[in-house]
Amino acid sequence: MAVSPVLVIKTVGDSAVCVRARLYDDFVEHEIVLNSVLAYWWANNLPPVVKFLELFESVIKRTINELMHHKDLKLKYELKANNDLEKASDLEISLIEIEADDVGFKIDGKQLILKGLSKVSEEFEASEVVKTVEKTIETPDIVLKKYQEMNK
């Protein structure tokens, strides 16, 4: 029986999101330190929910690529926000499926809930947005070659 790789997503208090990929005894782990990125996004008037989703996907891609090099990463998740993504302050991500070059990952910590990513005005009216995101993120050939060279 083949052992499936595992992707673990967890929050570290209110200050960080940890992404860990594990296969047998090998693992790779990266943290997104929320205080640092939120301060940057706020200072530059960037939409925190949109930017967090971009960063989250990128960190998953990098973490898995460092564990097992792959060309295509397929992500499928459902997201809920308390407004349009550009204006939202609260975000809930439910991971559904993760696959690297047709190798499926078991997902531990399928749900991530973040609140207060941006300040809301007194006139803010929540209007829940729910959508399913399916995307394939490709590793550029030059990056894939570098990963492969690192393991020789």
Side-chain angles (χ1 to χ4, degrees):
M1 182 166 113
V3 174
S4 294
V6 178
L7 184 72
V8 180
I9 309 292
K10 64 181 179 178
T11 54
V12 181
D14 289 339
S15 62
V17 174
C18 180
V19 177
R20 174 188 284 193
R22 185 178 71 235
L23 180 61
Y24 299 108
D25 290 335
D26 295 331
F27 75 93
V28 176
E29 182 175 271
H30 293 286
E31 277 191 356
I32 300 171
V33 180
L34 293 172
N35 293 342
S36 300
V37 295
L38 285 172
Y40 177 80
W41 295 331
W42 292 340
N44 291 286
N45 293 319
L46 299 170
V49 168
V50 172
K51 294 313 230 176
F52 179 80
L53 288 170
E54 291 171 3
L55 180 59
F56 184 63
E57 291 172 356
S58 172
V59 170
I60 289 173
K61 174 75 172 162
R62 177 180 173 201
T63 303
I64 292 174
N65 227 338
E66 288 179 10
L67 180 72
M68 52 184 280
H69 317 308
H70 61 278
K71 182 68 175 165
D72 294 316
L73 180 70
K74 293 179 186 170
L75 293 173
K76 183 176 181 181
Y77 59 90
E78 182 179 88
L79 66 84
K80 292 180 186 174
N82 64 341
N83 207 320
D84 293 332
L85 297 183
E86 290 78 23
K87 299 175 189 169
S89 64
D90 297 348
L91 176 66
E92 182 178 317
I93 301 171
S94 298
L95 294 170
I96 299 167
E97 183 178 12
I98 300 202
E99 213 174 80
D101 286 344
D102 300 321
V103 175
F105 275 71
K106 179 180 175 239
I107 304 169
D108 188 3
K110 292 183 179 200
Q111 193 171 51
L112 177 64
I113 299 172
L114 301 172
K115 297 197 175 285
L117 294 176
S118 63
K119 295 177 176 70
V120 293
S121 66
E122 291 180 16
E123 305 90 48
F124 180 82
E125 287 187 35
S127 59
E128 187 174 76
V129 172
V130 178
K131 74 183 210 180
T132 300
V133 176
E134 289 187 61
K135 72 171 40 171
T136 299
I137 306 172
E138 187 176 318
T139 305
D141 289 335
I142 191 160
V143 174
L144 189 58
K145 185 177 176 185
K146 278 288 186 201
Y147 278 124
Q148 290 167 341
E149 288 173 357
M150 287 170 33
N151 281 358
K152 286 185 178 180

